Amino acid sequence: MVVPSPGAAPPPGGPSSPGGSLVDVGGHRIRRNTLWNLIGQGGPLLIALWAIPILMREMGVGAFGLLGLVWAMITILGDFGLGRAGTRYTAEALGAGRAGRARQILSRVALGQFLIGAIGGALFLALIPRMVSLFQMEPAVAVAALSGFRWVAFALPVFLLTAVLRGGLEAAQAFGVLNTIRGVGNVFVYLLPVFVIRAGGSVVDVVAVTVAVRVLMAVGFGVALLRELARFGGEDAVPVMRSVPGRSGVVAFGVWTSISTVVSPVLVYIDRFLLAGIVGLDAVGRYTAPFEAITRVLLVPAAVAGTVFPAVASLKGAGGIQSLRRLFGGATRGVALAVVPIALLTILLAGPAVRLWLGADVTPDVIAVVRLLAIGMAANALAYIPFSVVQGLGRADLTGIFHLIELPIHLALAFWLISGWGLVGAAIAWSIRATLDSTLLFLAAGWLLRRESDPVPAGAAP
């Protein structure tokens, strides 16, 4: 591969050329990128399925429940929205031939994310004792929780910076190197805790190892991003700004994506925290195992959406509206064909499959949770594509509004159902919320795509 020297214009049809090879809708590039995402996110799945029962058995249900809370926290606190904004506008800039502008966007977003992480980490650190006191757990586990949550607080700036680095690789369509790093890192996220526990380590040691792996992944993403951006040259290939926004546009988008990026994981994982406060940490352990297993199916829509989001932004920058519509329809059909049969099989075979995985003494409520979550998983999977389209078109305000509407509804519903039905109530609430979210996103994506106008051909009358 020939790497252009800094400041040199890219070759015709090269990565920085508007409408060039950066996005090949429905063609080789989209399929290849989706395959890379499946490998990077699906590869660790087998390790996770092997590791979770071992950790649950050897750590104890309570300690494993604590680890489940830590996993949820890393996801919830892993991006406050500017990372998503960086991906969207970097992809649009690259699609419009504005490589210099793309670098400027990424550098500003990275600095903003790191500062937000430092402030957020300090606030989270101060709130940890109060938060731990709200959970029903044994004194020894409570002490471990204080130390484990502090590891997350100290690493928060790195977690947020990681979102920017990973998003930059997505915008540059560098899914091969991105998923190599992500796949290897996620394998160690599940593999190393097993070795730590079997070597006599504690749950705090497991949390520390998990955080260390995430930090090393951030370093890998950073090095890879610098190498990938060199492919686009040092200057803009197109003198016209097109629709790439200024700083205020990125910040406005970032504010709304911050709402979605913070609220959305809360909607996904708040049931664990409510279970910890209402039923106890043992319930979190029994709920976490089936939840982690069934939601691994979401790696399929996540793999597709990971390519759709930057592709939508690039197509918008290049004016490819018809291609964008075809992309939405094809991606939605692909996800449905892949996920719906899995959900149906899960509902039918949940009993024997869960007993084979977790043991013959698994309780009936855990099997019921798997069946209920399969319904919500299917709805959630379908929502990935319209979510990526809505935000890729720059309307993060819509996804933010939807999530703000859903939050109080889900909190009230989950609290009521968990108080009455425990694990089963949590699964019912989660599935209802996922179905509502999917419905709203499909309505919004359809409306936006109908509103988008095709570019006027050169020489045509306005």
Side-chain angles (χ1 to χ4, degrees):
M1 180 178 65
V2 178
V3 179
S5 58
S16 295
S17 301
S21 62
L22 188 63
V23 177
D24 175 19
V25 177
H28 175 70
R29 183 178 291 272
I30 290 290
R31 291 194 297 269
R32 185 188 65 188
N33 290 343
T34 299
L35 179 61
W36 270 117
N37 280 343
L38 283 171
I39 294 172
Q41 299 176 51
L45 174 60
L46 295 177
I47 302 297
L49 292 175
W50 168 78
I52 286 174
I54 296 173
L55 292 172
M56 189 174 181
R57 181 175 62 252
E58 299 195 11
M59 294 174 66
V61 177
F64 181 74
L66 173 59
L67 181 60
L69 292 182
V70 170
W71 287 344
M73 286 179 180
I74 291 176
T75 301
I76 292 172
L77 301 173
D79 184 10
F80 285 158
L82 287 179
R84 186 83 169 174
T87 305
R88 194 266 173 197
Y89 287 114
T90 299
E92 185 173 355
L94 293 176
R98 303 282 293 178
R101 179 60 173 162
R103 289 183 177 84
Q104 185 182 50
I105 291 171
L106 277 176
S107 62
R108 289 176 176 174
V109 171
L111 177 60
Q113 282 277 89
F114 190 85
L115 293 176
I116 292 172
I119 296 171
L123 292 174
F124 180 50
L125 193 64
L127 293 173
I128 287 173
R130 175 60 179 167
M131 183 173 61
V132 171
S133 68
L134 297 176
F135 300 147
Q136 297 184 33
M137 59 181 73
E138 298 176 357
V141 178
V143 172
L146 289 171
S147 299
F149 294 166
R150 283 170 184 150
W151 273 101
V152 177
F154 286 130
L156 188 55
V158 178
F159 293 160
L160 266 65
L161 183 60
T162 300
V164 180
L165 302 175
R166 186 178 62 242
L169 289 170
E170 291 176 349
Q173 303 288 311
F175 288 94
V177 64
L178 165 64
N179 283 288
T180 299
I181 298 170
R182 177 161 55 189
V184 172
N186 285 336
V187 164
F188 282 108
V189 163
Y190 290 105
L191 189 62
L192 290 181
V194 174
F195 290 123
V196 169
I197 290 298
R198 288 185 167 175
S202 66
V203 64
V204 177
D205 297 324
V206 169
V207 173
V209 167
T210 301
V211 170
V213 172
R214 297 289 185 183
V215 172
L216 290 175
M217 290 171 66
V219 174
F221 288 141
V223 173
L225 180 58
L226 291 175
R227 291 173 60 88
E228 290 297 325
L229 288 178
R231 296 190 302 113
F232 292 88
E235 302 294 337
D236 294 343
V238 177
V240 182
M241 194 62 165
R242 295 198 183 225
S243 58
V244 179
R247 182 185 305 178
S248 61
V250 177
V251 171
F253 186 89
V255 169
W256 281 109
T257 52
S258 295
I259 294 173
S260 286
T261 308
V262 172
V263 175
S264 180
V266 171
L267 290 167
V268 173
Y269 292 105
I270 193 63
D271 43 8
R272 296 189 190 184
F273 296 91
L274 290 174
L275 280 169
I278 297 172
V279 184
L281 207 57
D282 284 2
V284 179
R286 292 192 294 129
Y287 184 78
T288 295
F291 185 93
E292 290 290 326
I294 194 66
T295 55
R296 291 302 165 193
V297 178
L298 295 176
L299 68 90
V300 175
V304 179
T307 65
V308 168
F309 176 62
V312 169
S314 293
L315 286 169
K316 182 174 174 60
I321 303 305
Q322 286 296 336
S323 294
L324 196 158
R325 292 170 181 149
R326 291 195 300 271
L327 174 63
F328 175 63
T332 301
R333 287 190 296 272
V335 169
L337 289 172
V339 171
V340 172
I342 296 176
L344 294 174
L345 284 174
T346 301
I347 293 170
L348 292 173
L349 304 176
V354 173
R355 291 189 183 96
L356 178 64
W357 182 46
L358 295 178
D361 58 343
V362 67
T363 55
D365 58 348
V366 173
I367 297 173
V369 163
V370 171
R371 290 194 171 107
L372 290 164
L373 289 178
I375 299 172
M377 177 273 295
N380 198 9
L382 293 172
Y384 272 68
I385 304 306
F387 181 85
S388 296
V389 169
V390 170
Q391 289 205 342
L393 290 173
R395 293 303 305 269
D397 57 320
L398 293 178
T399 57
I401 291 170
F402 292 162
H403 287 141
L404 288 175
I405 292 171
E406 294 168 27
L407 182 59
I409 296 173
H410 181 60
L411 282 174
L413 186 63
F415 183 87
W416 174 58
L417 290 172
I418 290 172
S419 298
W421 289 280
L423 304 183
V424 174
I428 294 173
W430 192 89
S431 294
I432 291 174
R433 196 277 313 167
T435 303
L436 171 62
D437 185 62
S438 183
T439 302
L440 292 173
L441 288 170
F442 269 103
L443 291 173
W447 174 65
L448 288 175
L449 289 173
R450 286 192 297 271
R451 290 178 69 247
E452 287 289 332
S453 59
D454 296 312
V456 178

